[in-house]
């Protein structure tokens, strides 16, 4: 348990949102608040039993602590042991679901078959209705993938590294077309199920929480621009629910091509922010970085960085600007935009209304015109604008979030 739970900590793609599974006299639920959360050594909070079936692997991916050439201690669970652990931990209120991955044993089909057997046993024999996330093994047969989707809430296949060149260099056994082929199979099956449901057919659910993937950040010199381009393509082609970014963690006896220190965690955070802007705010991947500056600014968030580089598009009139432009204003989120569109139907929005709407006034005021205030070109073009809007570093106190909780400002 110690070995295989620790070996699973490097996989970040284990969120349990987006699934609803009927519970008719069964055990567990995919919804509601977490029962009990555990914390990985690097600070990630999870409420799932997060395990590898085994850390034995026939691949030699240089960034992976479980590679075949590593001298890490090896262990392996049987299918029955994982089933028993899951049920026992759930009954003790330790967990709310299972995240199960594995090293590659023998071949892809054999390993995928074991993972499917765990999920099938939990669903059919134990009547477990909680959340199950299965890691999909590239190269496994379509019949196994189809069966996995019937029992798992979410499937994921990790793309691992953002470019084909990175894979060739550090994980030559893994092929990008093979990985994307599995993603494509899952997407096609989900589309077929959705079409059948729209036509009134009663068909079983297939991976109702969708599919996700993970990319390791900082193991190579690949820029944020290339990472975001790859993510954007995956979202468009395979309808992924999420792309997770995991900062590279140095491992013992690592290959000389790998960095000796991990990248700053703020880079991982900025990638998540940029990913959110691409998915929900209408930004294109190539808008958030430039050819000359291919990495995201670590000192300010990507939305503010974009606004600073495109000051000519501001200020915008909050009472007249279209939704697409309002979404690009720093300090204004999706919910705030909806409130703006609703409020301005009834009366003009004034400066004093900003906080009530949920806008972060300090960040937004330089970029917007209200009914009673125009920031003026001197404010927007001032050299001190960046320093004024850049968050100050300070020690957080226990009740710092109280004002934000009551005002809605973040």
């Amino acid at each position: 348990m110690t070995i295989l739970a620790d070996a699973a900590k490097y996989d970040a793609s284990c969120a349990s949102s987006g699934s609803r599974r009927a519970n008719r006299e069964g055990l567990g639920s995919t919804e509601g608040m977490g029962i009990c959360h555990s914390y990985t050594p690097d600070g990630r909070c999870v409420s799932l039993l997060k395990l590898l079936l085994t850390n034995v692997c026939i691949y030699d991916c240089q960034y992976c602590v479980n590679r075949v050439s590593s001298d890490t201690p090896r262990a392996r669970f049987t299918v029955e042991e994982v089933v028993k652990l899951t049920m026992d931990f759930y009954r003790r209120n330790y967990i709310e679901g299972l995240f199960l991955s594995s090293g590659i044993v023998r071949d892809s089909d054999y390993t995928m078959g074991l993972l499917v057997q765990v999920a099938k046993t939990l669903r059919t024999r134990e009547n477990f209705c909680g959340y199950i996330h299965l890691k999909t093994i590239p190269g496994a047969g379509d019949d196994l993938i189809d069966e996995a989707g019937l029992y798992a809430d979410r499937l994921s296949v990790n793309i691992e590294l953002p470019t084909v060149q990175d894979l060739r260099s550090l994980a030559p056994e893994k092929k990008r077309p093979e990985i994307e082929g599995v993603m494509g199979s899952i997407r096609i099956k989900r589309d077929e199920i959705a079409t059948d449901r729209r036509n009134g057919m009663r068909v079983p659910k297939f991976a109702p929480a969708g599919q996700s993937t993970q990319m390791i950040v900082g193991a190579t010199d690949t820029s944020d621009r290339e990472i975001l381009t790859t993510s954007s393509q995956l979202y468009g082609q395979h309808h992924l629910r999420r792309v997770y970014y995991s900062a590279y963690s140095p491992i013992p006896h690592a290959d000389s091509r790998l960095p000796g220190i991990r990248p700053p965690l703020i880079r991982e955070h900025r990638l998540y922010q940029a990913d959110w802007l691409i998915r929900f705010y209408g930004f294109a991947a190539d808008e958030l970085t430039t050819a000359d500056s291919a990495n995201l600014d670590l000192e300010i968030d990507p939305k503010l960085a974009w606004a600073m580089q495109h000051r000519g598009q501001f200020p915008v009139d909050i009472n007249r600007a279209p939704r697409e432009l309002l979404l690009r204003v720093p300090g204004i989120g999706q919910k705030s935009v909806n409130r703006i569109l609703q409020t301005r139907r009834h009366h003009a929005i004034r400066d004093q209304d900003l906080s009530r709407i949920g806008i972060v006034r300090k960040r937004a005021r330089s970029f917007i015109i209200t009914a009673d205030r125009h920031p003026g070109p001197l404010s927007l073009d001032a050299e001190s604008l960046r320093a004024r809007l850049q968050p100050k570093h300070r020690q957080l106190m226990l009740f710092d979030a109280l004002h934000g909780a009551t005002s809605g400002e973040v």
Side-chain angles (χ1 to χ4, degrees), residues 40 52 76 81 163 226 243 254 261 271 273 298 324 339 406:
T40 60
L52 295 185
R76 179 174 177 176
E81 286 172 335
T163 68
E226 292 176 284
V243 174
I261 58 174
L271 283 168
Q273 290 178 315
L298 299 184
E324 294 75 22
R339 291 175 189 147
T406 55

Side-chain angles (χ1 to χ4, degrees), residues 306-327:
W306 180 88
M308 297 288 292
Q309 294 169 357
H310 298 81
R311 299 190 201 194
Q313 297 194 25
F314 300 99
V316 301
D317 190 335
I318 198 172
N319 288 295
R320 296 185 179 184
R323 177 185 179 85
E324 294 75 22
L325 189 53
L326 289 173
L327 284 170

Side-chain angles (χ1 to χ4, degrees), residues 124-339:
T124 58
R125 192 185 76 193
E126 303 295 336
N127 201 20
F128 180 71
C129 301
Y131 182 82
I132 297 179
H133 181 151
L134 288 186
K135 188 62 64 176
T136 309
I137 309 299
D142 289 343
D143 56 334
L144 289 169
I145 304 299
D146 290 348
E147 191 174 11
L150 295 178
Y151 301 115
D153 294 283
R154 173 168 289 183
L155 298 175
S156 61
V157 51
N158 284 354
I159 200 165
E160 304 292 8
L161 296 170
T163 68
V164 174
Q165 291 76 13
D166 291 342
L167 280 175
R168 287 175 182 166
S169 174
L170 297 178
E173 295 98 340
K174 293 188 175 180
K175 311 297 181 185
R176 178 75 168 268
E178 192 175 70
I179 295 172
E180 289 205 46
V182 176
M183 292 181 180
S185 297
I186 296 172
R187 177 186 62 80
I188 290 171
K189 186 66 176 179
R190 280 176 51 81
D191 289 346
E192 290 175 352
I193 295 291
T195 300
D196 290 342
R197 286 183 175 275
R198 285 194 297 269
N199 292 334
M201 299 175 63
R202 299 187 64 179
V203 291
K205 292 181 179 180
F206 182 86
Q211 62 170 321
S212 60
T213 192
Q214 173 178 292
M215 274 192 279
I216 297 171
V217 176
T220 64
D221 294 331
T222 302
S223 67
D224 294 340
R225 187 178 180 86
E226 292 176 284
I227 292 172
L228 292 173
T229 298
T230 298
S231 298
S232 185
Q233 291 171 348
L234 293 176
Y235 281 127
Q237 294 174 7
H238 304 298
H239 305 169
L240 298 189
R241 186 64 61 88
R242 287 290 301 274
V243 174
Y244 290 85
Y245 306 94
S246 179
Y248 167 72
S249 297
I251 56 178
H253 312 298
D255 189 277
S256 60
R257 292 168 292 180
L258 292 168
I261 58 174
R262 65 179 303 160
L265 284 176
I266 189 65
R267 183 184 180 192
E268 180 183 302
H269 180 60
R270 295 293 182 227
L271 283 168
Y272 276 116
Q273 290 178 315
D275 183 277
W276 205 261
L277 293 177
I278 293 170
R279 294 164 60 205
F280 301 113
Y281 285 74
F283 283 83
D286 57 0
E287 285 187 281
L288 299 171
T289 56
T290 64
D292 296 329
S293 182
N295 289 316
L296 296 169
D297 194 322
L298 299 184
E299 295 182 347
I300 57 177
D301 69 82
K303 193 178 185 182
L304 178 57
W306 180 88
M308 297 288 292
Q309 294 169 357
H310 298 81
R311 299 190 201 194
Q313 297 194 25
F314 300 99
V316 301
D317 190 335
I318 198 172
N319 288 295
R320 296 185 179 184
R323 177 185 179 85
E324 294 75 22
L325 189 53
L326 289 173
L327 284 170
R328 292 181 174 241
V329 178
I332 301 183
Q334 282 186 302
K335 291 183 179 178
S336 298
V337 169
N338 292 335
R339 291 175 189 147

Side-chain angles (χ1 to χ4, degrees), residues 329-395:
V329 178
I332 301 183
Q334 282 186 302
K335 291 183 179 178
S336 298
V337 169
N338 292 335
R339 291 175 189 147
I340 290 169
L341 298 177
Q342 211 169 24
T343 302
R344 72 188 191 185
R345 293 177 184 174
H346 306 286
H347 65 83
I349 298 174
R350 306 173 70 84
D351 200 52
Q352 64 183 11
D353 299 324
L354 298 181
S355 293
R356 284 197 292 258
I357 292 174
I359 295 172
V360 184
R361 295 178 75 246
K362 180 180 178 182
R363 300 176 63 199
R365 290 186 82 203
S366 299
F367 299 95
I368 59 175
I369 300 169
T370 59
D372 60 343
R373 181 181 176 277
H374 191 300
L378 293 180
S379 172
L380 192 59
D381 295 336
E383 293 182 2
S384 61
L385 180 61
R386 178 188 173 101
R388 194 166 71 246
L389 296 179
Q390 185 174 324
K392 304 295 187 292
H393 297 288
R394 63 186 179 88
Q395 177 64 47

